[in-house]
Amino acid sequence: MIQGRVRWKRFALVFVPALAVASVLVGATAEGAIGASFVVSGDTFKVSADTLQGQGFVQYGSTVENKKGQKIPVAVSGIRKATLTNMCQTVLVKSPVGAVTIRITAGTGKDPVTAENMIVDATQIEGNAVFTKLEAGRDASALDQLPDGQGAAGMFGQQASGITIKDFRQVSWAVNAATFKLPGLKLAVEPGEHECF
């Protein structure tokens, strides 16, 4: 399994990404598309859920760029409307005093996490998946299940009208969403390695 690691000179800086992640997840409720193009941080993060269900799914290959200008290959997955039950997100931080895990949980009660026009740049996705009305091999520039969810012309793409993934596991560089609602949000900074999976 891929483990995220970020190295900082001061332990105090561990709290900066925690606050940034919390503000993004809580505050990203504006309607409309959010740009999917930004420089990614130095590492990946993990997301898990008991079940992910979505309407309007697209997927194609692309790259993201880090601060050093390095191009990193990713699988871009987009979902028009998604729900996640019992969601967990973790970032593993390496500091001078040892490993620290930044953990966010939400959707653990009767209300699931919901997202609209969500785009994920992932390096790993696992689970038991069921697709509805799957089209594999469609040109990525012609995908139409998600607004602004197209890739480069000539690139392999696939899409489906619906998707369900049980025991969902994902390693990602970036996530964008027009709306991301997290009922029962909890954020914790924990010494040691306590990743979602």
Side-chain angles (χ1 to χ4, degrees):
M1 294 184 182
I2 302 171
Q3 294 188 348
R5 284 172 166 72
V6 179
R7 291 171 175 81
W8 283 301
K9 293 181 180 179
R10 296 185 183 90
F11 175 71
L13 292 180
V14 169
F15 294 93
V16 174
L19 294 175
V21 169
S23 64
V24 168
L25 293 179
V26 176
T29 57
E31 294 296 334
I34 295 177
S37 177
F38 57 82
V39 176
V40 298
S41 67
D43 229 319
T44 57
F45 57 93
K46 293 183 176 182
V47 178
S48 68
D50 290 347
T51 304
L52 178 150
Q53 290 185 312
Q55 300 173 15
F57 170 80
V58 300
Q59 189 172 66
Y60 54 90
S62 187
T63 60
V64 294
E65 185 175 337
N66 64 17
K67 190 73 172 179
K68 297 178 180 179
Q70 297 171 319
K71 299 287 187 180
I72 304 164
V74 294
V76 177
S77 300
I79 302 178
R80 189 172 66 252
K81 292 185 178 180
T83 61
L84 299 94
T85 57
N86 194 25
M87 191 200 82
C88 170
Q89 175 180 309
T90 52
V91 179
L92 183 61
V93 176
K94 283 295 186 181
S95 75
V97 297
V100 176
T101 302
I102 302 169
R103 172 183 290 268
I104 293 174
T105 58
T108 57
K110 62 182 182 66
D111 297 321
V113 170
T114 60
E116 293 186 6
N117 296 338
M118 180 172 67
I119 297 176
V120 178
D121 297 322
T123 59
Q124 178 181 326
I125 299 174
E126 297 179 4
N128 299 306
V130 176
F131 297 90
T132 304
K133 296 183 180 178
L134 175 68
E135 297 177 352
R138 186 165 178 164
D139 191 286
S141 67
L143 300 173
D144 58 13
Q145 285 289 334
L146 176 69
D148 300 320
Q150 295 78 39
M155 180 72 71
F156 175 91
Q158 59 184 3
Q159 66 179 16
S161 62
I163 182 173
T164 300
I165 304 178
K166 293 185 177 181
D167 300 321
F168 176 69
R169 305 287 184 268
Q170 179 176 273
V171 180
S172 305
W173 284 100
V175 175
N176 295 288
T179 304
F180 208 116
K181 297 181 180 178
L182 293 97
L185 170 70
K186 294 182 180 179
L187 183 147
V189 180
E190 307 171 350
E193 299 186 15
H194 307 286
E195 294 187 279
C196 300
F197 60 94

